[in-house]
Structure formats: C-alpha cells, structure tokens
Amino acid sequence: FTPQLFGIVQPGIYRSSAPADENLPFLDGLKLRTVIYLSSDVLLKNVSDFFSGQESQRKVRIIEHGLESWRPDSNWTPISDEFMKIALELILDVRNHPVLVCCSSGILQTAPLVGCLRRLQNWSLTSILDEYRAYAGSKSRLIHQQYIESFDVNLVTLPSELPSWFVDYDLIDLKSEADENSESQELESQVRALTLLTISNTATENERSLLRQATFRLRCFEAQDTTKLVSSDCKFSRQSLIDDEDDD
C-alpha cells in the first residue's frame, strides 16, 4: 500500500504522510536513499528499524529534520525560514536521491515545503497554490499559502550537485538582464543619432519612422517593473505560525 498523500514531486523526490508498517514493502521498491521527516515527533519504531537496515537489506538515511529543528521556546514554530532553507537544500541535493519527504499529516510541513520548492522552480503562484490545495483539501490553511507566497527564495544556497530537471532561473535572469541592458543601450544610441538628424532637418521619412519606433521601445524598457508576489505593504505574521497547530 502507498502511504497517505503519496505523490511524485519530481523524479527522485517523493512526498507522503508518515509511513506505517503496511507501506514499507511499497517504499522498499522505491530504493530510497534518504527519508526526511519534517514533524517534531519521531517515526514509528518499526519504520525506523526498517529504514535503518535492521529489517531490510537496504539502509536508508533518516533525517529527522523536524525533531532537530525543535526548540523548547514559546516562540518556536513548526515552519520557519531556517527550517525551510535547510529542507530545500536537502531535497535539492541529488546525492540524497531518491528521497522521501514526509510529515505526520503529509500536509502541515510537507505541503508548504513543496510549495516553496515550486517557487524555486519558477512556477506561477496560481499553479503552486492549486497543487497545495489539491493535497491539503479541507485542511488547506491560508497561513501556509501566505508563507509560500512570501518565502524569500534567495535564502536557499543551491547544492553543488543538482538534479538534471532543476533549472537555476537566477542565471537565466542574469543573462536576460544583461541582454536587455545591451539592447537598451543600443536603442539609446540609435535614438540619439536619429534625433540629431531630425533636429538638423536631414532625416528621411524612414529615419523619422525608425526614431518613433526606437523611442517607443526604449520607453517600454524604462517602464518595465518587477511584479512582486507579495506587496511591500504586506506584513507576514510570525505569530500566526506560532499559533498554528496540526489538527490531525
């Protein structure tokens, strides 16, 4: 049997709720290398023994990320930027693949983590939240959706060994920005040259048309503005995460 809320996130990355005894034969077939458990409790002993190799021939590395992140502090939250940063860096490291990422419910920590991964993959916010709601169902929480939307992807340090399906959009954006800057500079030079011809009354009708076109394109470049997922006026509430509890 598959674990509840089991799914393939990307090749080499799986998601689910906490595995139970009846799920072990299925999970054994995935030939997992790593299990990342996000809840602050512990996996069932039989499950831990199975993955540790005591009841199977294959030893699977168990990372109890939720338990390692837990702090005896009233301000501790089950989801934080540091928690998310470490988890994302773990699942993006191809040396951990195949990897199962799970939490007790399969929703409380796992769903926001996958949502933040989709942010790194440059998915549209609509697609990210559609996937979140598809898994969370009636347990969908606005605070989780707000967290996914406001998460700063620049906090994540990409591992040296990334899966082949992952595209570093920052590198693409840098190249695109460089190309746009180059084109903008060329347009500025063209506009200046054509303007001088127009002022001296030596410009042909074709050159006047080129000036209008170049001026329009230059204004389009100047008018470009980066659209933010979250307004700068939006203040994310850390207290909301502190108050948030798993209602499984």
Side-chain angles (χ1 to χ4, degrees):
F1 299 99
T2 60
Q4 292 184 3
L5 296 177
F6 177 82
I8 301 173
V9 180
Q10 290 288 159
I13 301 179
Y14 306 97
R15 63 182 292 172
S16 75
S17 61
D21 291 352
E22 61 267 23
N23 308 136
L24 298 180
F26 170 79
L27 294 177
D28 190 46
L30 298 179
K31 296 179 171 57
L32 296 172
R33 182 177 296 175
T34 314
V35 172
I36 302 174
Y37 190 53
L38 303 173
S39 295
S40 56
D41 55 2
V42 295
L43 287 167
L44 294 173
K45 185 178 185 304
N46 288 348
V47 174
S48 295
D49 289 346
F50 182 85
F51 285 138
S52 64
Q54 295 182 35
E55 297 182 13
S56 69
Q57 296 180 348
R58 185 181 303 106
K59 186 172 183 178
V60 179
R61 179 189 179 198
I62 301 174
I63 302 176
E64 295 183 317
H65 183 44
L67 189 60
E68 292 170 1
S69 302
W70 181 82
R71 298 290 181 272
D73 185 337
S74 60
N75 290 324
W76 177 83
T77 64
I79 298 175
S80 66
D81 287 346
E82 182 65 15
F83 174 92
M84 196 62 66
K85 165 184 162 63
I86 294 173
L88 286 168
E89 291 169 1
L90 286 169
I91 65 173
L92 281 173
D93 193 332
V94 75
R95 291 168 293 188
N96 292 325
H97 293 186
V99 57
L100 172 69
V101 57
C102 55
C103 63
S104 58
S105 65
I107 299 171
L108 184 62
Q109 287 95 358
T110 303
L113 172 62
V114 174
C116 290
L117 172 63
R118 301 311 190 193
R119 287 280 315 282
L120 279 169
Q121 292 182 273
N122 212 33
W123 279 31
S124 70
L125 183 61
T126 299
S127 297
I128 293 171
L129 297 184
D130 280 348
E131 181 183 43
Y132 169 85
R133 295 178 190 125
Y135 277 89
S138 61
K139 296 181 180 178
S140 174
R141 299 182 180 182
L142 178 60
I143 187 63
H144 288 167
Q145 297 173 64
Q146 289 175 330
Y147 182 82
I148 293 169
E149 186 178 3
S150 64
F151 178 70
D152 183 3
V153 295
N154 293 317
L155 293 173
V156 180
T157 302
L158 296 179
S160 58
E161 297 188 31
L162 289 162
S164 59
W165 47 260
F166 185 81
V167 178
D168 188 351
Y169 285 95
D170 282 344
L171 295 178
I172 294 178
D173 290 343
L174 287 173
K175 184 179 184 302
S176 176
E177 183 179 348
D179 292 342
E180 288 179 0
N181 288 339
S182 176
E183 185 175 354
S184 177
Q185 290 171 1
E186 290 177 6
L187 285 172
E188 289 177 358
S189 299
Q190 187 178 5
V191 167
R192 283 196 296 268
L194 292 171
T195 300
L196 289 174
L197 289 175
T198 302
I199 293 174
S200 62
N201 292 321
T202 59
T204 65
E205 186 59 35
N206 183 54
E207 287 170 335
R208 292 177 186 275
S209 176
L210 288 174
L211 174 60
R212 289 192 293 271
Q213 294 176 27
T215 302
F216 174 77
R217 291 179 63 192
L218 185 60
R219 287 176 178 171
C220 287
F221 271 111
E222 294 172 347
Q224 283 178 351
D225 185 29
T226 302
T227 302
K228 296 182 178 179
L229 289 172
V230 180
S231 166
S232 57
D233 296 329
C234 178
K235 305 299 182 183
F236 185 74
S237 172
R238 176 180 173 81
Q239 186 62 41
S240 298
L241 282 177
I242 295 175
D243 296 339
D244 191 40
E245 296 179 355
D246 193 356
D247 55 6
D248 271 8

